[in-house]
Amino acid sequence: MPLANTSFLDACRGQRPARTPVWVMRQAGRYLPEYRAVRSKVSFTELCHSPQLCAEVTLQPLDRFDLDAAILFSDILTVLDALGAEVEFNPAPHVANPVRTLSDIDGLQFGKADDHLGYVYDAVSACKKALNNRVPLIGFCGAPLTTASYLVEGGGTKDFLNTKRLMFTEPAAFGRLMEGITTILIDYLAGQVRQGIDAIQIFESWAAALTPEDYREHALPHLTRLVTEAKKLGVPVIAFVRGNATLMEQAATLPADVLGVDWSIQLSRAIEVVGADKVVQGNLDPIALFAPPEVLAAKTRAVLQEGRAAKAHIFNLGHGISRHTDPEQMKLLVDTVHEADA
Ligand code: 1CP
C-alpha cells in the first residue's frame, strides 16, 4: 500500500508539495503527558528495547498534531551498544567507561551493528506496522563527531575538553576512532533501511564545538563518508549540522538531499549560502513556542515565507523541542504551517 501522505518525501526530493510538510525534532518525548505516563512505568532503556512501546510513543505526537512525518523513537547513543560501551540514561546519557586513550580505542569492538542493535530494527518494524502508511518514518543516527563526543566525554559536556585533547594530542588515533564509528553507523543505517525506514536524519548536534578549521580537518571527511554511503541506501538523507552560523558552507558541501538549518542563522541567509537549488529544513527557535500565541504564529509564518526561496522547504524547529513546551503551542505551530498553504 502506498503512503497516504507523501509531502515530506516529495519535499526531500526537491518537489514543492501543495502544503509545506512539517515535523519537529524530538516530537515524541517529555513535553507530552502521554509520553510521561509511559515513562512512569519503564526506564528509558526499557522503552527503547520494547518495540511495542517505541511504536506507541512514536505515534503519540501524530495522534495530537497534523504532522507529515514520524521519527523512530530511539536515541543516537543506542549505537554505542555495538561498540561494547555501556550507556545508561538517568535521563541524561552516561557512559561508564569513557574512551580516552589509545588502549581504550583498541578495546572497542568495531564489528557489525546488526549483532547488537536488533532491538532497534524490531522497533522500526513495529513503528512501520503501527503507522500503516499514514506518514513516512524517519530513521536516524548521530554524526561521527557527536557520537564520538559522548563516548570520549562519558556524557554531555560544555567544553568538549577530552574529545579535543584526544583530537589534538593523538590525531591518528582520533581519526581511527572516527573511522570505526562511521563504519558502524553506515551498517546501522543500512539495517534501519532494511526494516522499512523511509528517510534518514543524521544529527550533528555538537559540530560547533570545533573551530571551523578543526571541523573541516577532523570531522567533515567522516561525515561526508557517512552521508555518501547513506545516500546509496536509496532513501533521502537529511544532514543536520548544528552550528550553521559558522558551518553552513561546510554543510553545503555534503551530498545530502536536505540540509538542516538551526536557529543561529536566518533561514533566508542560509538559503543564500547553500544556494536556491537545495532543499532546506528548519528553523524556528524552539523557545518561540513560549511566546504568546500570536507572536508564535507570526514567527512561524515568517520562517515559512523565507523558506519559499529554497527549492523546497520542510518546516521544523532549529533544534529539539523543549520538554517544558505546552502541547497546545505545538498544535498552534503545526496548524499555522498548514493553514498558510490552505
Ligand atoms: O524519557 C526521558 O526522560 C529520556 C529523555 C530522552 C529522549 C526522549 C533521551 C535521552 N533521548 C530521547 C529520545 C530521542 N533522542 C529521540 C527520539 C524522539 C524524537 O525525536 O521524537 C531522538 C531523535 C534523539 C536524538 C538525540 N539524543 C540527540 C540528537 C538531537 C538533539 O537534540 O541534538 C542527542 C544529542 C541525544 C543525546 C541524549 N539522549 C537523551 C538526552 C537527555 C540527550 C542529551 C544529552 C546532552 O544534553 O548532552
Side-chain angles (χ1 to χ4, degrees):
M1 200 173 82
L3 281 165
N5 176 348
T6 60
S7 64
F8 166 78
L9 290 178
D10 292 345
C12 287
R13 297 195 172 105
Q15 288 143 27
R16 277 226 163 244
R19 297 195 318 183
T20 301
V22 52
W23 71 280
V24 163
M25 286 183 269
R26 301 285 195 111
Q27 66 191 20
R30 289 182 285 178
Y31 73 107
L32 291 176
E34 55 271 36
Y35 173 81
R36 294 197 299 269
V38 173
R39 271 283 277 112
S40 69
K41 297 191 203 102
V42 293
S43 71
F44 181 71
T45 303
E46 284 166 339
L47 175 44
C48 289
H49 279 79
S50 160
Q52 264 56 48
L53 290 179
C54 283
E56 184 180 333
V57 298
T58 294
L59 268 71
Q60 282 175 346
L62 299 164
D63 291 338
R64 264 189 192 252
F65 317 116
D66 189 13
L67 294 160
D68 298 300
I71 180 160
L72 170 71
F73 192 87
S74 191
D75 195 82
I76 60 163
L77 299 177
T78 50
V79 76
L80 298 189
D81 290 353
L83 290 161
E86 273 171 46
V87 58
E88 279 176 23
F89 294 89
N90 331 287
H94 177 75
V95 180
N97 300 307
V99 170
R100 303 258 167 92
T101 63
L102 288 179
S103 71
D104 292 341
I105 295 174
D106 289 335
L108 290 170
Q109 311 158 3
F110 290 113
K112 284 229 153 263
D114 297 2
D115 298 343
H116 305 270
L117 294 163
Y119 68 95
V120 181
Y121 304 155
D122 291 344
V124 174
S125 304
C127 288
K128 281 297 289 180
K129 191 158 174 258
L131 280 167
N132 196 21
N133 289 313
R134 245 162 104 178
V135 292
L137 180 65
I138 303 169
F140 66 92
C141 69
L145 175 71
T146 293
T147 309
S149 79
Y150 283 98
L151 193 58
V152 177
E153 302 291 342
T157 170
K158 281 205 165 64
D159 55 16
F160 295 83
L161 191 151
N162 296 296
T163 311
K164 291 196 202 184
R165 181 165 53 198
L166 184 65
M167 189 180 88
F168 292 139
T169 57
E170 301 282 357
F174 183 76
R176 250 192 312 129
L177 175 66
M178 292 282 280
E179 207 179 304
I181 289 174
T182 305
T183 302
I184 290 261
L185 290 170
I186 293 165
D187 206 30
Y188 183 40
L189 291 177
Q192 294 185 33
V193 171
R194 270 199 309 276
Q195 301 302 311
I197 281 293
D198 299 292
I200 291 165
Q201 171 144 329
I202 299 171
F203 285 95
E204 181 69 299
S205 302
W206 307 123
L210 301 194
T211 65
E213 307 87 89
D214 285 330
Y215 194 82
R216 182 172 282 114
E217 182 178 346
H218 296 284
L220 188 65
H222 302 283
L223 179 54
T224 302
R225 178 162 83 97
L226 178 61
V227 174
T228 304
E229 293 302 315
K231 280 279 298 171
K232 294 180 188 164
L233 300 172
V235 301
V237 177
I238 306 169
F240 177 60
V241 181
R242 193 166 151 252
N244 292 145
T246 52
L247 291 165
M248 201 74 244
E249 285 90 349
Q250 292 191 45
T253 67
L254 294 167
D257 298 274
V258 182
L259 295 170
V261 182
D262 71 46
W263 52 271
S264 68
I265 186 169
Q266 203 172 335
L267 187 59
S268 53
R269 175 70 195 134
I271 295 165
E272 271 170 31
V273 175
V274 304
D277 58 336
K278 291 270 167 61
V279 181
V280 292
Q281 172 178 281
N283 79 338
L284 183 73
D285 179 355
I287 306 304
L289 286 151
F290 295 81
E294 62 283 6
V295 176
L296 169 61
K299 286 185 178 297
T300 300
R301 283 192 288 266
V303 168
L304 208 52
Q305 190 52 36
E306 291 189 25
R308 298 202 194 280
K311 187 173 188 195
H313 176 213
I314 298 161
F315 194 99
N316 205 313
L317 297 178
H319 196 200
I321 190 168
S322 160
R323 59 180 291 200
H324 304 293
T325 305
D326 175 356
E328 281 306 307
Q329 291 280 86
M330 169 74 168
K331 181 170 180 355
L332 174 66
L333 179 150
V334 174
D335 290 346
T336 303
V337 173
H338 285 327
E339 278 158 20
D341 289 324

